[in-house]
Amino acid sequence: AQSVTQLGSHVSVSEGALVLLRCNYSSSVPPYLFWYVQYPNQGLQLLLKYTSAATLVKGINGFEAEFKKSETSFHLTKPSAHMSDAAEYFCAVRANTGGFKTIFGAGTRLFVKA
Amino acid sequence: DAGVTQSPTHLIKTRGQQVTLRCSPKSGHDTVSWYQQALGQGPQFIFQYYEEEERQRGNFPDRFSGHQFPNYSSELNVNALWLGDSALYLCASSSRDLYNEQFFGPGTRLTVL
């Protein structure tokens, strides 16, 4: 079984500051891990994914995440926040053994202050 | 490429009614998954279809059913609606290769009064 915990339902940063969104997962089999972004009244857009290749994954819009098996974490970072990054972010896990059943975290709302 | 499309965009129903939501996958995709996203929560997996059969199912009652057509499009049906079914319903499509990502549609906002 898989589960995801996102630490912090709301995160606020200043424009230009580091963005750090935390995600811890639980999986009984090697996982695939994902970060998605959702803007108001829209569907989900994939930011990046980990599928057992490189542990440091680079995604779109300057985001990256590092898979740390020992810590069961997959935190999302961006060196410098932009106003357009304000959105809801979801971490998700999927088993690599079959099917596309994806388990999502509860989400973290990112606020960016001018 | 139109991407994943869903219809309708918004829908209002009353308790006890039935609803059908529709999804057309991205070109080249043969697998469709449905998710329910309640307000302020992450999406929850309902079920997945490929080869016109339900392959995986989440923890949802039998009131939730689906169908996949030969052209890979899909429908989600919910019977005996109750207030708690109010949510954004998301469709995601993919090809069967597990390394491929799921592409999400914009969703259908269902309100049950």
Side-chain angles (χ1 to χ4, degrees), chain B residues 9-84:
Chain B
T9 305
H10 296 85
L11 203 52
I12 299 175
K13 292 286 188 179
T14 56
R15 283 173 292 177
Q17 285 189 311
Q18 178 266 344
V19 69
T20 297
L21 310 181
R22 295 176 176 81
C23 171
S24 292
K26 184 178 171 64
S27 178
H29 288 179
D30 59 3
T31 301
V32 173
S33 300
W34 286 92
Y35 294 82
Q36 180 195 66
Q37 185 178 18
L39 197 62
Q41 298 183 24
Q44 292 194 48
F45 178 82
I46 303 175
F47 43 52
Q48 174 198 29
Y49 278 84
Y50 67 84
E51 293 183 339
E52 301 179 47
E53 290 191 15
E54 182 182 298
R55 299 294 181 170
Q56 282 187 301
R57 190 177 182 92
N59 188 27
F60 279 80
D62 292 344
R63 297 187 298 110
F64 290 77
S65 63
H67 189 76
Q68 185 178 37
F69 299 93
N71 67 354
Y72 308 121
S73 66
S74 177
E75 288 181 350
L76 164 65
N77 301 291
V78 186
N79 294 322
L81 287 167
W82 68 296
L83 299 179

Side-chain angles (χ1 to χ4, degrees), chain A residues 23-42:
Chain A
C23 171
N24 287 91
Y25 71 92
S26 173
S27 179
S28 55
V29 297
Y32 291 160
L33 294 162
F34 308 84
W35 275 100
Y36 288 88
V37 61
Q38 186 176 36
Y39 296 98
N41 301 314
Q42 295 187 25

Side-chain angles (χ1 to χ4, degrees), chain A residues 32 34 36 38 41-44 46 49 51-52 90 94-107, chain B residues 31 33 35 37 40-43 45 48 56-58 88 90 94-102 104-106 109:
Chain A
Y32 291 160
F34 308 84
Y36 288 88
Q38 186 176 36
N41 301 314
Q42 295 187 25
L44 302 174
L46 181 70
K49 62 181 178 181
T51 56
S52 74
F90 294 95
R94 189 171 90 206
N96 73 352
T97 52
F100 282 89
K101 178 179 180 179
T102 303
I103 307 301
F104 286 83
Chain B
T31 301
S33 300
Y35 294 82
Q37 185 178 18
Q41 298 183 24
F45 178 82
Q48 174 198 29
Q56 282 187 301
R57 190 177 182 92
L88 180 68
L90 296 165
S94 55
S95 66
R96 207 170 306 168
D97 185 342
L98 289 180
Y99 288 98
N100 289 337
E101 66 182 269
Q102 295 182 88
F104 283 81
R109 174 72 64 185

